[in-house]
Amino acid sequence: MALNPIDIERMIMEAHYKQAVSGPSACDDEMTDMEREQYQNRISELIDAVQTLLDSNKLLGEKLNQANSQ
C-alpha cells in the first residue's frame, strides 16, 4: 500500500503536534532527563529526514512530469 504525499504530510504534522503537546508518558519515569532529551532529538531528526525525503520525492515527480510532457 503506497502512501500519497498528503498522507505523509499529515503524518509529519501529527508527529510534530504529538511531540509538542505530549505530556509525561509511562516510560518517562524510566528515562533520565538526558535520555529523554536524546529521544526527543532523535524523533525530531527522523521527522526532518522524512520531510526531506518528501520534498525530494515531490521535486523528482515534477521533473518526471516535465520530461514526460516534452
Side-chain angles (χ1 to χ4, degrees):
M1 176 181 96
L3 295 174
N4 66 36
I6 295 171
D7 291 338
I8 296 170
E9 288 175 347
R10 180 181 52 79
M11 290 168 56
I12 292 169
M13 287 178 14
E14 286 177 0
H16 278 294
Y17 174 76
K18 287 178 182 177
Q19 187 177 20
V21 299
S22 66
S25 68
C27 68
D28 281 348
D29 294 336
E30 301 169 6
M31 296 175 89
T32 66
D33 289 339
M34 180 184 277
E35 289 172 328
R36 188 176 303 109
E37 184 178 342
Q38 289 173 344
Y39 175 78
Q40 290 173 340
N41 288 341
R42 183 67 178 142
I43 296 297
S44 294
E45 290 171 3
L46 291 171
I47 290 170
D48 292 341
V50 170
Q51 184 65 52
T52 300
L53 290 171
L54 179 61
D55 294 342
S56 297
N57 191 22
K58 284 181 182 179
L59 182 62
L60 289 172
E62 290 170 5
K63 288 182 179 181
L64 181 62
N65 286 338
Q66 288 176 353
N68 287 339
S69 66
Q70 291 176 354

